[in-house]
């Protein structure tokens, strides 16, 4: 029997949720659902921080009997775990695949050429964007392939209807921010833009709901950011991943003003597209590979308040264009459905994907 072990941070017993954890859990779920004739095991590498010896022994035990292994480390995990994984790969002759989460790997490898050589020994490196694919190939890695971000969602899902034409001149345009609440994600820029534009009108024309976890070290910063602004700026807590398809269609536009250094192919953009929401995002990292200006959203110059305000004014002046952009976004989401992405990973592991899997 084929044996597969998945090594990543699942945080199963924690309330913490971020893009890495969501993707790792989704990969595990899909492997379990699709590989019924494969023995699947997983090890939570997040436990290394409080139970390092037990976790390393468990990783070794699983790898020693596996035919395939998938690793999903972040930057620190890659630095310390890759040499171990490769040593055990040489000893036990399993195939090792690296699913990269985020866009940080090319910059990391430019300063660590020794890890370029190490990664060349992996069976496959799977990245989320063409930019990363090309940069890693330029660094000399020939074992790289494209595996975009993905979501599992029903094709007959509920979509945002966009602004109601009967209310479009009176009701504020409903914006949503869905991501970690940290300074590097650009939330302050979005809040300032909403406030600035609203001040130009007799009544608020924009509202912004903020969803996402607030790390403890940023809570005071965030409290100061929204203090006195709660009339149209609302913090709503953490949106459970399973509730996203039901809740996002209540909005009309997603704002994603990130300047986060590790940003790759953000899953929240796929979430927005699945719900038929256009996305107004910064032109940071790989956002331009996903968002087609004027088709399924708009891009503004990263860290440029004036350009963000200009694009928001465009949406206000062209509310009638939002439903068509939302439909285009929903159509593009189908490219990122798990059924159109995940079989490529299964084939890369030398396994045969099963037929259509019920959602």
């Amino acid at each position: 029997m084929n044996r597969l072990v998945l090594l990543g941070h699942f945080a199963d017993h924690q309330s913490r949720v971020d893009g890495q954890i969501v993707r790792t859990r989704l990969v595990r779920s899909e492997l379990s659902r699709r590989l019924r004739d494969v023995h699947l095991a997983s090890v939570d590498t997040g436990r290394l921080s409080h139970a390092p010896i037990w976790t390393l022994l468990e990783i070794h035990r699983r790898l020693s009997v596996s035919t395939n292994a998938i690793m999903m480390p972040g930057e620190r995990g890659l630095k310390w775990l890759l040499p171990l994984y490769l040593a055990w790969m040489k000893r036990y002759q399993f195939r090792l695949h690296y699913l990269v989460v985020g866009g940080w790997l090319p910059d990391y490898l430019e300063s660590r050429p020794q890890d370029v050589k190490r990664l060349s020994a992996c069976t496959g490196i799977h990245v989320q964007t063409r930019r990363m694919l090309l940069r890693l190939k330029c660094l000399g890695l020939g074992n790289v392939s494209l595996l975009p971000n993905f979501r599992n969602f029903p094709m007959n899902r509920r979509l945002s209807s966009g602004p109601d034409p009967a209310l479009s001149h009176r009701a504020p345009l409903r914006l949503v921010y869905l991501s970690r609440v940290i300074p590097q994600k650009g939330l302050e820029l979005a809040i300032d833009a909403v406030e600035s534009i609203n001040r130009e009108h007799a009544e608020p024309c924009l509202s912004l709901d903020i969803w996402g976890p607030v790390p403890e070290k940023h809570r005071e910063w965030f409290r100061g950011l929204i203090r006195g602004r709660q009339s149209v700026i609302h913090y709503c807590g953490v949106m459970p991943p399973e509730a996203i398809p039901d809740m996002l269609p209540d909005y009309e536009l997603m704002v994603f003003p990130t300047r986060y250094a590790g940003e790759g192919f953000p899953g929240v953009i796929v979430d927005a597209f699945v719900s038929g929401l256009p996305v107004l995002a910064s032109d940071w990292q790989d956002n331009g590979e996903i968002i087609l200006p004027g088709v399924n959203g708009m891009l503004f110059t990263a860290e440029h308040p004036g350009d963000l305000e200009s694009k928001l004014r465009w949406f206000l002046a062209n509310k009638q264009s939002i439903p068509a952009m939302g439909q285009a976004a929903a159509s593009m989401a189908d490219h990122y459905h798990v059924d159109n992405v995940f079989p490529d990973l299964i084939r890369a592991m030398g396994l045969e994907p099963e037929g259509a899997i019920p959602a």
Side-chain angles (χ1 to χ4, degrees):
M1 173 182 281
N2 282 307
R3 291 179 176 269
L4 169 64
V5 60
L6 176 62
L7 308 168
H9 190 188
F10 303 103
D12 287 325
H13 304 294
Q14 301 177 28
S15 58
R16 173 187 165 191
V17 177
D18 59 27
Q20 173 118 8
I21 290 170
V22 168
R23 184 167 170 83
T24 308
R25 290 176 179 174
L26 184 53
V27 168
R28 179 178 61 182
S29 172
E30 289 302 319
L31 289 171
S32 177
R33 198 162 65 96
R34 292 167 184 271
L35 298 178
R36 296 169 186 169
D37 295 327
V38 174
H39 183 276
L40 174 65
S42 61
V43 181
D44 189 347
T45 53
R47 295 181 179 180
L48 283 164
S49 60
H50 61 271
I53 295 175
W54 182 91
T55 306
L56 286 173
L57 288 173
E58 180 67 4
I59 291 172
H60 174 265
R61 183 175 76 86
R62 295 294 187 180
L63 288 175
S64 68
V65 296
S66 293
T67 50
N68 279 287
I70 297 174
M71 63 174 185
M72 300 181 68
E75 188 171 328
R76 186 172 59 176
L78 184 67
K79 179 179 179 180
W80 296 109
L81 293 173
L82 181 61
L84 280 176
Y85 291 167
L86 292 176
W88 290 332
M89 176 185 171
K90 184 176 181 180
R91 180 175 179 181
Y92 299 116
Q93 298 297 302
F94 54 82
R95 294 184 288 271
L96 179 62
H97 291 265
Y98 178 18
L99 265 64
V100 184
V101 181
W104 54 273
L105 186 61
D107 289 339
Y108 172 87
L109 290 178
E110 284 187 350
S111 63
R112 290 183 62 84
Q114 68 272 29
D115 280 347
V116 175
K117 184 176 180 180
R118 288 170 176 161
L119 284 173
S120 66
C122 291
T123 311
I125 302 170
H126 309 275
V127 298
Q128 297 176 322
T129 65
R130 292 187 297 275
R131 175 191 66 90
M132 291 182 63
L133 180 74
L134 293 174
R135 285 193 63 189
L136 292 181
K137 285 188 173 183
C138 287
L139 288 172
L141 289 169
N143 55 347
V144 190
S145 63
L146 186 65
L147 191 79
N149 214 334
F150 55 86
R151 290 290 190 263
N152 188 2
F153 54 89
M155 291 299 185
N156 60 345
R157 65 216 184 255
R158 184 169 74 94
L159 301 179
S160 170
S161 59
D164 185 341
L167 301 174
S168 60
H169 297 294
R170 294 186 288 113
L173 189 66
R174 292 169 294 171
L175 314 180
V176 61
Y177 168 96
L178 177 62
S179 192
R180 284 186 295 156
V181 180
I182 59 176
Q184 299 93 322
K185 291 284 187 172
L187 178 58
E188 186 167 0
L189 205 65
I191 290 175
D192 287 346
V194 168
E195 287 276 294
S196 175
I197 293 172
N198 278 339
R199 280 196 296 268
E200 299 169 359
H201 296 78
E203 294 182 352
C205 56
L206 296 169
S207 68
L208 174 62
D209 280 4
I210 300 163
W211 292 91
V214 186
E216 186 173 351
K217 66 179 180 179
H218 295 305
R219 287 177 186 170
E220 191 56 40
W221 161 80
F222 181 56
R223 279 193 287 266
L225 191 59
I226 63 172
R227 189 175 293 123
R229 293 168 151 176
Q230 286 91 336
S231 59
V232 292
I233 309 290
H234 310 112
Y235 177 63
C236 305
V238 177
M239 189 180 293
E242 64 276 9
I244 288 175
D246 293 324
M247 299 175 73
L248 272 190
D250 292 335
Y251 297 96
E252 293 154 350
L253 177 68
M254 176 177 283
V255 289
F256 189 65
T258 185
R259 55 181 177 82
Y260 179 58
E263 208 75 74
F265 184 157
V268 295
I269 295 181
V270 182
D271 290 328
F273 286 1
V274 168
S275 297
L277 281 184
V279 180
L280 172 57
S282 58
D283 60 354
W284 186 260
Q285 297 277 73
D286 303 313
N287 289 343
E289 288 191 26
I290 313 151
I291 297 169
L292 308 178
V295 178
N296 55 23
M298 295 287 281
L299 296 170
F300 73 92
T301 304
E303 302 184 86
H304 194 299
D307 197 30
L308 173 55
E309 289 186 25
S310 174
K311 296 303 191 301
L312 282 172
R313 289 189 181 93
W314 185 92
F315 278 104
L316 283 171
N318 296 274
K319 286 184 178 182
Q320 73 281 0
S321 300
I322 293 178
M325 295 174 76
Q327 286 293 330
S331 296
M332 193 169 185
D334 294 343
H335 295 293
Y336 306 122
H337 191 282
V338 65
D339 288 345
N340 295 324
V341 176
F342 211 79
D344 289 341
L345 174 63
I346 294 174
R347 280 188 285 264
M349 292 188 293
L351 303 171
E352 190 60 34
E354 297 191 12
I357 305 291

